[in-house]
Amino acid sequence: MLRWLGLGSFRHGVHPPDAKDATRDLPIRRLPFAPLLVVPLAQHLGRPSIPLVREGQEVARGECIARPDGFLSVAMHAPASGVVKELGLVPSIAGRMVSAVYLEPLPGSTQEVVEGTPCPPDAEPEQIVRAIQEAGVVGLGGAGFPTHAKLRPPEGGFFDTLIVNGVECEPYLTTDHRVMLEQREDVFAGLRYLLAATGAQRAIVGVEENKPDAAAHLRAGLPEDLPASVEVLQVKYPQGAEKMLIEALLGRQVPSGGLPADVHALCVNVATTAEIGRLLPHGRGIQERVVTVTGPAVRHKGNYRVPIGTPLRFLLEAVGVEDDLSRVFLGGPMMGSAASSLDIPITKGTSGVVAFGERESAATHVAPHPCIRCGYCVNACPMFLDPSQLGLLAAIERYQEMAERHHLMDCFECGACAFVCPSHIPLVQRFRVAKTALRKAKAP
């Protein structure tokens, strides 16, 4: 109904402060190479990539250094010309150690990237899908799902609409905003590849109304032969979630436990789309990505093009941080994760780095109180779950009941419930624990 009353949106949701003013108008700048780059082989959902290099080997920037291990996996490419120093382990944002390629850039290493075999936009769908996998493309919005793996409809199904997600509703982040302003032609080129690969008849770029310059810029440049439109949406969190975006733009609801393909739609992040349009004409792979580096503890905030594998410590030293640096989030404060180590490298899924000082961190350290049944979380949940009841069940470890009777697995951990909770109950953290316990119970 909301779509017919004005700007589209979805039901429920919250309105956290967007905190984007510090970086929304700052053009993308390039970050220099770190003295040592660490490229994890597991930057995506699915199997880690298989290394193709050995210690001591010299590689060129953009050269493939790891191949996919099966369909649900992607290739990795050298972020700089340099020498492989080690095949070892590195901490990840998930808290575990993962295999990685340690690469020492050559002195004076340039930004030049090796050319590969171009993939034309009118290639066969399977050829485009394979080229996207070989380019190492994953969801740059943070999900890390291999993009090629979701481009073909399920057996007997079809896509009628491709949705390009330019919403970027996560507070602080302006990566997608700047990509839409500075890489418009890449976005359009990526759209052509994606339409050809999926068979969708049209594309819609969804942009929230707090980015009017991006929406106007895209509309002004839309090629006449491209079956695409730009739609402006209300500002609301978590509108960037694909199920919410489909409802806001198409008025279709993805069923519980279902996928966007069930309603003939496919969502792809706008930065991912631009990267496909930038890489495939040259047969290249991802060696870098745009990252918003911001937060109260960052001195030189901005949108930076960062080589994949740049250690978080080097990035923060390069932009400068306040002496009271306390907490660093990768991805944003709502759906991102707190970094447990500054040795964690920037990966393809890192859309933002948000740093807070001791004062801001102390303000969030509030002891939880018992649930008062106010219902705020119920009104906020975009999936129409009952977070209050789920939280009470999680506290007494009735995980199976949470899944079977209260649809726990429909929760995508947006954090809207915890944001509005006056009792400061860490609901999302409890749900993550419950999901982990259920997955362990299912494991062979």
Side-chain angles (χ1 to χ4, degrees):
M1 177 65 75
L2 286 171
R3 291 186 307 120
W4 313 115
L5 296 177
L7 299 179
S9 190
F10 63 99
R11 294 171 293 172
H12 289 187
V14 294
H15 295 86
D18 76 0
K20 297 175 186 285
D21 287 348
T23 58
R24 73 170 84 236
D25 295 325
L26 298 179
I28 299 168
R29 290 181 287 170
R30 188 175 292 280
L31 197 78
F33 295 124
L36 187 66
L37 298 167
V38 188
V39 182
L41 298 175
Q43 299 184 37
H44 50 268
L45 297 180
R47 292 182 177 178
S49 312
I50 298 175
L52 298 172
V53 294
R54 64 184 185 284
E55 292 180 3
Q57 181 175 339
E58 189 170 312
V59 297
R61 185 166 191 248
E63 181 177 335
C64 184
I65 58 174
R67 64 173 174 82
D69 184 8
F71 182 67
L72 200 59
S73 183
V74 298
M76 299 291 172
H77 300 79
S81 296
V83 177
V84 176
K85 300 300 291 184
E86 179 185 354
L87 299 177
L89 298 175
V90 66
S92 72
I93 190 62
R96 61 179 184 274
M97 301 296 286
V98 298
S99 298
V101 176
Y102 284 70
L103 178 66
E104 183 179 70
L106 295 172
S109 180
T110 70
Q111 301 293 336
E112 186 178 352
V113 182
V114 296
E115 291 281 322
T117 303
C119 176
D122 58 353
E124 292 297 318
E126 290 305 324
Q127 184 182 348
I128 296 174
V129 169
R130 188 166 56 253
I132 292 173
Q133 182 182 24
E134 291 172 352
V137 179
V138 304
L140 299 187
F145 190 85
T147 301
H148 71 279
K150 65 178 187 180
L151 298 184
R152 304 303 296 153
E155 187 71 26
F158 65 92
F159 295 125
D160 62 18
T161 307
L162 167 67
I163 293 175
V164 175
N165 186 353
V167 168
E168 197 169 47
C169 59
E170 179 80 28
Y172 285 97
L173 305 189
T174 54
T175 294
D176 293 348
H177 189 170
R178 295 312 308 180
V179 166
M180 288 187 282
L181 288 172
E182 299 182 43
Q183 293 184 239
R184 181 175 70 182
E185 300 310 315
D186 291 335
V187 173
F188 296 154
L191 271 174
R192 294 188 190 279
Y193 282 108
L194 291 170
L195 286 169
T198 61
Q201 299 301 305
R202 63 168 176 163
I204 304 174
V205 184
V207 183
E208 284 192 337
E209 62 178 327
N210 60 354
K211 307 173 191 64
D213 51 350
H217 185 62
L218 291 175
R219 281 174 171 164
L222 268 177
E224 291 185 359
D225 65 334
L226 189 63
S229 62
V230 179
E231 301 293 336
V232 177
L233 301 165
Q234 295 178 35
V235 176
K236 192 192 290 187
Y237 180 87
Q239 194 145 237
E242 58 184 10
K243 292 183 179 179
M244 278 57 265
L245 191 52
I246 289 171
E247 180 179 343
L249 288 171
L250 303 179
R252 304 174 188 172
Q253 293 186 2
V254 179
S256 175
L259 297 171
D262 295 329
V263 294
H264 312 300
L266 175 71
C267 286
V268 179
N269 168 265
V270 72
T272 308
T273 304
E275 202 65 3
I276 290 171
R278 192 171 76 98
L279 297 173
L280 264 60
H282 301 279
R284 293 172 175 168
I286 292 183
Q287 334 92 35
E288 58 189 10
R289 67 151 298 152
V290 180
V291 180
T292 300
V293 187
T294 186
V298 174
R299 291 175 181 162
H300 302 291
K301 303 173 180 62
N303 303 289
Y304 295 89
R305 190 170 291 282
V306 181
I308 300 298
T310 299
L312 184 55
R313 186 187 310 278
F314 177 86
L315 173 60
L316 293 174
E317 289 174 354
V319 300
V321 292
E322 303 296 341
D323 293 338
D324 69 339
L325 176 68
S326 175
R327 301 178 75 186
V328 180
F329 285 85
L330 299 189
M334 293 295 285
M335 289 195 73
S337 299
S340 59
S341 166
L342 296 185
D343 294 326
I344 294 173
I346 298 300
T347 64
K348 297 173 183 177
T350 309
S351 53
V353 173
V354 187
F356 296 92
E358 290 179 358
R359 187 179 64 176
E360 297 84 19
S361 297
T364 64
H365 292 164
V366 181
H369 298 285
C371 175
I372 58 174
R373 298 282 191 178
C374 63
Y376 290 175
C377 58
V378 177
N379 291 331
C381 179
M383 298 304 295
F384 285 72
L385 305 179
D386 185 345
S388 171
Q389 185 64 26
L390 284 166
L392 292 171
L393 291 171
I396 53 177
E397 302 183 3
R398 290 166 64 173
Y399 302 143
Q400 202 65 38
E401 184 177 343
M402 293 171 68
E404 294 177 354
R405 297 185 58 184
H406 297 278
H407 307 285
L408 171 66
M409 292 307 181
D410 282 345
C411 169
F412 58 89
E413 302 169 16
C414 67
C417 55
F419 176 76
V420 298
C421 179
S423 294
H424 305 290
I425 299 172
L427 292 164
V428 176
Q429 288 85 343
R430 289 185 180 182
F431 301 161
R432 287 174 181 162
V433 170
K435 290 179 180 179
T436 301
L438 289 168
R439 293 190 184 106
K440 283 184 178 179
K442 277 188 175 180

